[in-house]
Amino acid sequence: MIYTLYGFAIFFFIFWCAMWLLHIIAIFYGKYRLHRKVPSLPSDEPYPGVSILKPLMGVDPHLVSNLESLFTMTYPVFEILFCIEDEKDPAIDVVNALIEKYPKVHTNIFIGGSTVGVNPKINNMNKAYEATSYDLILISDSGIRMREDTLQDMVEHLTEKTGIVHQMPFTSDRNGFAATLEKVYFGTAQSRMYLAADCLRVNCHTGMSTLMRKAVLEEQGGLKTFGCYLAEDFFIAKSFIDRGWKTAISSQPALQNSGFCDVNSFQARLTRWAKLRVAMLPTVILFEPLSECMVIGGCAAWAASLLFHWEPLVFYLVHILAWFLCDWILLSTVQNGPLPFKRFDFIIGWLFRECSGPYLFLLAVVHPEIRWRNRIFRLTWGGIAQEVKPRIKC
């Protein structure tokens, strides 16, 4: 029995050390990789054309400004293909108004989608994908706000051996506790794993803003091939990697700028992502809870008291303080400027996120079915999705 306890103690302490290594990698790699100007293409080499797929559903208070940021990009050659499933969707009027305002931008609207799998996003985009004109495809979610040079930054990271360039998820500056909570999560817990994974060449791809080579997709049957997955972004990246292509993050994080921002919907989003991770990588059930500050801190404090006879409470409090300071440094690195909230707001948001994280993961394991808008999906091991009570179209 005593050997078993010592075995667990050694495991927890080594895992704790590994987490601190990830902290260090994320901070230094973030300073090296993010907000760093890359060399432009030679003046005699034209920039390749890019087809932008923009799936839309409904209108939120920031939709107009988010979509307009696409029209005002300084990239020389691109087209915007809007994908709208419902012909009565009010987003159509928003798009038409912007097309009228910016007549020189090449745009098109695809209404109705096509059923090629269970993934609503793939179904919505497939018609537009098949009509794309250029060899590079950018998938950009409706809530993403682009800077004038974002697309240029992404293309300049696309080397001969790179098949996918994606933006690390982050958020725009917004007001309110929910916005603070989102920025804290994406600038700390999410960024830590994302940056460390990219540095170590581990698949961390998220599809909210991603540039990819169409020819590689076509080799696999096109976008519709991934319609059987809800986490299509992970499996698209995996298929590229399996074929010898590299993936990379661009220097600019993705600025999520949804007009609807509340704590409950954000936590539901985190829970849905956890369910996807569990289905795709079952080992997540063991290791993800241990990556949480409060959980691994408690385990490491017990391990240190058993192995080295250190005071566990002091160890635990120092651990939390050090983790907090590292997260502040990382968030400041990702933000690359003054934070839009006070330090006290950061403390409250950080504590709320760290304390609620293990509970949300447990909730994801206990209730594995995924609710996406008005649909419910069940995942099998390996990430393949099945819709529960599919909608019937007349």
Side-chain angles (χ1 to χ4, degrees):
M1 181 64 180
I2 188 66
Y3 293 110
T4 302
L5 290 177
Y6 271 96
F8 276 114
I10 293 172
F11 169 77
F12 287 140
F13 195 79
I14 292 176
F15 195 94
W16 178 77
C17 292
M19 288 305 303
W20 283 109
L21 179 61
L22 292 183
H23 270 286
I24 295 171
I25 292 174
I27 290 172
F28 281 94
Y29 187 69
K31 289 182 179 295
Y32 160 75
R33 185 74 179 185
L34 300 179
H35 309 290
R36 176 172 169 262
K37 184 64 178 176
V38 296
S40 300
L41 295 179
S43 57
D44 59 343
E45 183 178 341
Y47 278 87
V50 179
S51 296
I52 303 173
L53 302 182
K54 197 72 174 179
L56 302 177
M57 179 178 287
V59 175
D60 71 40
H62 293 169
L63 183 64
V64 174
S65 62
N66 290 340
L67 297 186
E68 191 166 15
S69 69
L70 284 176
F71 286 85
T72 57
M73 290 190 302
T74 56
Y75 193 80
V77 185
F78 67 92
E79 63 177 354
I80 311 174
L81 309 179
F82 294 98
C83 317
I84 304 173
E85 187 177 22
D86 188 350
E87 62 182 9
K88 297 180 180 179
D89 195 314
I92 296 175
D93 295 331
V94 173
V95 172
N96 283 327
L98 288 170
I99 291 175
E100 184 176 350
K101 184 176 180 180
Y102 298 95
K104 294 183 179 181
V105 178
H106 184 197
T107 58
N108 209 337
I109 303 176
F110 294 82
I111 300 175
S114 56
T115 304
V116 295
V118 297
N119 187 309
K121 183 177 177 181
I122 296 291
N123 289 341
N124 194 12
M125 293 190 299
N126 191 62
K127 279 186 178 180
Y129 168 80
E130 293 180 344
T132 52
S133 304
Y134 300 116
D135 295 330
L136 296 181
I137 306 293
L138 173 68
I139 296 177
S140 176
D141 285 357
S142 62
I144 297 296
R145 183 179 183 85
M146 306 288 275
R147 294 192 174 102
E148 288 185 352
D149 61 341
T150 297
L151 185 53
Q152 179 176 337
D153 176 73
M154 298 180 76
V155 171
E156 288 171 350
H157 280 84
L158 197 69
T159 66
E160 291 183 359
K161 297 182 179 180
T162 305
I164 291 178
V165 174
H166 49 112
Q167 290 188 280
M168 185 184 74
F170 195 47
T171 63
S172 297
D173 294 347
R174 292 169 293 173
N175 298 321
F177 176 71
T180 298
L181 182 62
E182 285 193 13
K183 188 171 283 287
V184 167
Y185 170 76
F186 284 107
T188 60
Q190 175 77 3
S191 293
R192 179 170 59 251
M193 303 308 294
Y194 212 91
L195 288 167
D198 188 70
C199 180
L200 298 173
R201 297 291 181 251
V202 176
N203 184 5
C204 61
H205 175 237
T206 61
M208 61 181 62
S209 181
T210 180
L211 181 73
M212 64 189 76
R213 297 182 184 274
K214 182 180 179 181
V216 183
L217 279 176
E218 286 299 299
E219 290 174 2
Q220 303 162 76
L223 196 61
K224 62 179 179 293
T225 302
F226 303 93
C228 59
Y229 304 107
L230 286 186
E232 79 292 337
D233 45 9
F234 174 86
F235 290 100
I236 288 174
K238 182 178 182 299
S239 70
F240 273 66
I241 294 170
D242 291 344
R243 283 166 171 76
W245 291 93
K246 295 181 179 179
T247 67
I249 60 171
S250 64
S251 66
Q252 294 184 17
L255 298 179
Q256 300 175 83
N257 190 44
S258 173
F260 300 125
C261 187
D262 64 88
V263 174
N264 289 335
S265 61
F266 175 61
Q267 290 189 314
R269 189 181 177 196
L270 296 184
T271 304
R272 184 175 72 247
W273 287 350
K275 294 175 182 180
L276 291 171
R277 290 193 297 272
V278 169
M280 293 184 298
L281 302 168
T283 53
V284 162
I285 295 177
L286 173 62
F287 293 111
E288 182 162 327
L290 288 178
S291 69
E292 296 285 354
C293 173
M294 303 302 178
V295 177
I296 190 58
C299 295
W302 169 78
S305 68
L306 181 63
L307 297 173
F308 311 114
H309 305 290
W310 293 345
E311 174 57 43
L313 180 59
V314 174
F315 183 99
Y316 189 57
L317 293 177
V318 171
H319 158 85
I320 292 175
L321 177 60
W323 196 291
F324 170 84
L325 293 175
C326 284
D327 276 353
W328 173 265
I329 294 171
L330 182 57
L331 175 60
S332 300
T333 300
V334 177
Q335 177 75 9
N336 195 39
L339 294 171
F341 44 75
K342 298 178 180 178
R343 293 183 180 180
F344 178 76
D345 297 325
F346 172 75
I347 294 174
I348 299 302
W350 185 86
L351 286 173
F352 185 88
R353 211 304 300 175
E354 294 299 334
C355 292
S356 62
Y359 165 74
L360 294 178
F361 184 80
L362 179 63
L363 195 65
V365 174
V366 174
H367 302 287
E369 290 185 347
I370 293 178
R371 182 176 295 275
W372 190 344
R373 296 186 185 271
N374 60 344
R375 304 181 189 182
I376 300 176
F377 299 89
R378 183 183 294 112
L379 296 179
T380 60
W381 295 122
I384 295 178
Q386 298 175 340
E387 186 170 359
V388 179
K389 296 181 180 179
R391 297 191 312 177
I392 299 175
K393 292 186 177 182
C394 298

